[in-house]
Short mmCIF file of all heavy atoms in Angstrom, two decimals:
data_model
loop_
_atom_site.label_atom_id
_atom_site.label_comp_id
_atom_site.label_asym_id
_atom_site.label_seq_id
_atom_site.Cartn_x
_atom_site.Cartn_y
_atom_site.Cartn_z
N GLY A 33 -44.67 -32.39 19.96
CA GLY A 33 -44.00 -33.28 20.93
C GLY A 33 -44.55 -33.05 22.30
O GLY A 33 -45.20 -32.04 22.56
N ARG A 43 -36.95 -23.59 19.79
CA ARG A 43 -37.41 -22.50 18.87
C ARG A 43 -36.56 -21.22 19.09
O ARG A 43 -36.26 -20.54 18.13
CB ARG A 43 -38.91 -22.22 19.17
CG ARG A 43 -39.44 -21.03 18.41
CD ARG A 43 -40.92 -21.03 18.38
NE ARG A 43 -41.53 -21.03 19.67
CZ ARG A 43 -41.77 -19.98 20.44
NH1 ARG A 43 -41.45 -18.80 20.03
NH2 ARG A 43 -42.41 -20.15 21.63
N SER A 57 -46.75 -18.45 15.09
CA SER A 57 -48.15 -18.29 15.31
C SER A 57 -48.53 -18.28 16.75
O SER A 57 -48.33 -19.27 17.44
CB SER A 57 -48.88 -19.40 14.57
OG SER A 57 -50.22 -19.49 15.03
N PRO A 65 -52.14 -17.49 32.59
CA PRO A 65 -50.72 -17.14 32.29
C PRO A 65 -49.75 -17.58 33.35
O PRO A 65 -50.04 -17.53 34.57
CB PRO A 65 -50.70 -15.63 32.18
CG PRO A 65 -52.13 -15.20 32.18
CD PRO A 65 -52.98 -16.35 32.71
N ARG A 66 -48.57 -18.08 32.95
CA ARG A 66 -47.45 -18.33 33.94
C ARG A 66 -46.74 -17.02 34.23
O ARG A 66 -46.82 -16.06 33.46
CB ARG A 66 -46.51 -19.30 33.32
CG ARG A 66 -47.02 -20.66 33.13
CD ARG A 66 -45.99 -21.61 32.47
NE ARG A 66 -46.59 -22.89 32.18
CZ ARG A 66 -46.31 -23.57 31.09
NH1 ARG A 66 -45.48 -23.15 30.16
NH2 ARG A 66 -46.89 -24.77 30.89
N GLU A 81 -65.60 -19.35 27.32
CA GLU A 81 -66.71 -18.81 26.50
C GLU A 81 -66.19 -18.26 25.19
O GLU A 81 -66.68 -18.58 24.09
CB GLU A 81 -67.41 -17.73 27.31
CG GLU A 81 -68.78 -17.44 26.81
CD GLU A 81 -69.38 -16.24 27.59
OE1 GLU A 81 -68.64 -15.53 28.31
OE2 GLU A 81 -70.59 -15.99 27.42
N PHE A 83 -63.31 -18.82 23.74
CA PHE A 83 -62.67 -19.85 22.96
C PHE A 83 -63.75 -20.67 22.20
O PHE A 83 -63.62 -20.88 20.96
CB PHE A 83 -61.86 -20.77 23.85
CG PHE A 83 -60.86 -21.62 23.10
CD1 PHE A 83 -59.50 -21.31 23.14
CD2 PHE A 83 -61.31 -22.72 22.39
CE1 PHE A 83 -58.59 -22.07 22.40
CE2 PHE A 83 -60.38 -23.47 21.65
CZ PHE A 83 -59.03 -23.17 21.67
N TRP A 95 -57.80 -26.98 17.04
CA TRP A 95 -57.86 -26.75 18.48
C TRP A 95 -57.91 -28.09 19.20
O TRP A 95 -58.27 -29.11 18.58
CB TRP A 95 -59.08 -25.92 18.82
CG TRP A 95 -60.41 -26.55 18.58
CD1 TRP A 95 -61.05 -26.53 17.37
CD2 TRP A 95 -61.17 -27.35 19.42
NE1 TRP A 95 -62.23 -27.25 17.50
CE2 TRP A 95 -62.32 -27.74 18.76
CE3 TRP A 95 -61.05 -27.71 20.82
CZ2 TRP A 95 -63.32 -28.54 19.39
CZ3 TRP A 95 -62.01 -28.51 21.41
CH2 TRP A 95 -63.11 -28.96 20.68
N ASN A 101 -57.49 -27.59 29.59
CA ASN A 101 -57.53 -26.28 28.94
C ASN A 101 -57.64 -26.45 27.44
O ASN A 101 -57.14 -27.41 26.87
CB ASN A 101 -56.38 -25.47 29.33
CG ASN A 101 -56.47 -24.87 30.74
OD1 ASN A 101 -57.42 -24.15 30.99
ND2 ASN A 101 -55.58 -25.30 31.59
N TYR A 103 -56.59 -25.14 23.71
CA TYR A 103 -55.53 -24.49 22.98
C TYR A 103 -55.90 -24.52 21.50
O TYR A 103 -56.39 -25.53 21.01
CB TYR A 103 -54.20 -25.26 23.12
CG TYR A 103 -53.63 -25.35 24.51
CD1 TYR A 103 -54.13 -26.26 25.40
CD2 TYR A 103 -52.63 -24.44 24.92
CE1 TYR A 103 -53.60 -26.33 26.71
CE2 TYR A 103 -52.10 -24.55 26.20
CZ TYR A 103 -52.57 -25.44 27.11
OH TYR A 103 -52.07 -25.56 28.34
N LEU A 107 -56.86 -18.94 12.79
CA LEU A 107 -56.72 -19.19 11.32
C LEU A 107 -56.35 -17.96 10.53
O LEU A 107 -55.51 -18.01 9.61
CB LEU A 107 -58.05 -19.82 10.84
CG LEU A 107 -58.16 -20.09 9.34
CD1 LEU A 107 -57.15 -21.13 8.93
CD2 LEU A 107 -59.57 -20.62 9.01
N LYS A 108 -57.05 -16.86 10.81
CA LYS A 108 -56.86 -15.66 9.98
C LYS A 108 -55.39 -15.21 9.96
O LYS A 108 -54.83 -14.85 8.87
CB LYS A 108 -57.70 -14.54 10.67
CG LYS A 108 -58.57 -13.78 9.67
CD LYS A 108 -59.46 -12.85 10.47
CE LYS A 108 -60.07 -11.82 9.62
NZ LYS A 108 -60.93 -10.97 10.45
N ASN A 111 -53.14 -17.47 7.84
CA ASN A 111 -53.37 -17.21 6.41
C ASN A 111 -52.72 -15.91 5.97
O ASN A 111 -52.08 -15.81 4.94
CB ASN A 111 -54.87 -17.18 6.05
CG ASN A 111 -55.42 -18.62 5.99
OD1 ASN A 111 -54.67 -19.57 5.78
ND2 ASN A 111 -56.72 -18.76 6.16
N ARG A 112 -52.89 -14.86 6.83
CA ARG A 112 -52.32 -13.56 6.50
C ARG A 112 -50.82 -13.64 6.38
O ARG A 112 -50.21 -13.15 5.37
CB ARG A 112 -52.67 -12.51 7.56
CG ARG A 112 -52.24 -11.09 7.25
CD ARG A 112 -52.50 -10.17 8.41
NE ARG A 112 -51.64 -10.36 9.61
CZ ARG A 112 -50.36 -9.98 9.70
NH1 ARG A 112 -49.76 -9.36 8.67
NH2 ARG A 112 -49.65 -10.25 10.73
N ASP A 115 -49.75 -15.66 3.35
CA ASP A 115 -50.01 -14.88 2.04
C ASP A 115 -48.97 -13.80 1.85
O ASP A 115 -48.68 -13.39 0.72
CB ASP A 115 -51.38 -14.25 2.10
CG ASP A 115 -52.51 -15.26 1.96
OD1 ASP A 115 -52.22 -16.41 1.52
OD2 ASP A 115 -53.70 -14.97 2.28
N LEU A 122 -46.02 -23.42 13.83
CA LEU A 122 -47.01 -23.73 14.87
C LEU A 122 -46.31 -24.61 15.89
O LEU A 122 -45.76 -25.61 15.56
CB LEU A 122 -48.20 -24.53 14.30
CG LEU A 122 -48.84 -24.00 13.06
CD1 LEU A 122 -49.99 -25.00 12.66
CD2 LEU A 122 -49.36 -22.64 13.19
N ILE A 124 -47.45 -26.88 18.60
CA ILE A 124 -48.76 -27.38 19.09
C ILE A 124 -48.62 -28.90 19.49
O ILE A 124 -47.69 -29.58 19.14
CB ILE A 124 -49.82 -27.24 18.00
CG1 ILE A 124 -49.48 -28.01 16.72
CG2 ILE A 124 -50.10 -25.78 17.68
CD1 ILE A 124 -50.56 -27.89 15.62
N ILE A 156 -39.81 -31.50 32.89
CA ILE A 156 -41.09 -30.88 33.20
C ILE A 156 -41.12 -30.48 34.71
O ILE A 156 -41.67 -29.43 35.04
CB ILE A 156 -42.27 -31.84 32.82
CG1 ILE A 156 -43.52 -31.00 32.57
CG2 ILE A 156 -42.51 -32.97 33.69
CD1 ILE A 156 -44.59 -31.77 31.81
N SER A 160 -40.74 -26.25 36.89
CA SER A 160 -41.49 -25.73 38.07
C SER A 160 -42.67 -24.79 37.70
O SER A 160 -42.88 -23.75 38.33
CB SER A 160 -40.60 -24.97 39.03
OG SER A 160 -39.51 -25.78 39.40
N ILE A 166 -50.95 -31.69 37.88
CA ILE A 166 -50.89 -31.39 36.42
C ILE A 166 -49.66 -32.01 35.81
O ILE A 166 -49.74 -32.53 34.68
CB ILE A 166 -50.90 -29.81 36.20
CG1 ILE A 166 -52.13 -29.17 36.84
CG2 ILE A 166 -50.84 -29.48 34.72
CD1 ILE A 166 -53.45 -29.54 36.20
N GLN A 169 -50.56 -35.47 35.04
CA GLN A 169 -51.49 -35.62 33.89
C GLN A 169 -50.69 -35.34 32.59
O GLN A 169 -50.93 -36.03 31.58
CB GLN A 169 -52.60 -34.58 34.02
CG GLN A 169 -53.55 -34.93 35.13
CD GLN A 169 -54.61 -33.85 35.33
OE1 GLN A 169 -54.98 -33.13 34.43
NE2 GLN A 169 -55.17 -33.80 36.56
N SER A 175 -46.97 -40.10 27.35
CA SER A 175 -46.77 -41.53 26.97
C SER A 175 -47.66 -41.87 25.81
O SER A 175 -47.19 -42.57 24.88
CB SER A 175 -47.11 -42.47 28.14
OG SER A 175 -46.26 -42.19 29.20
N ILE A 203 -33.89 -28.94 7.93
CA ILE A 203 -35.21 -29.39 7.33
C ILE A 203 -35.89 -28.23 6.68
O ILE A 203 -36.34 -28.37 5.52
CB ILE A 203 -36.04 -30.07 8.42
CG1 ILE A 203 -35.37 -31.38 8.98
CG2 ILE A 203 -37.44 -30.37 7.90
CD1 ILE A 203 -35.97 -31.94 10.23
#
Side-chain angles (χ1 to χ4, degrees):
R43 173 164 57 85
S57 161
R66 292 178 184 141
E81 196 186 13
F83 196 103
W95 66 274
N101 283 300
Y103 295 81
L107 176 62
K108 229 174 164 177
N111 283 338
R112 185 186 70 76
D115 289 345
L122 312 180
I124 59 178
I156 205 165
S160 305
I166 303 292
Q169 290 175 25
S175 299
I203 294 168

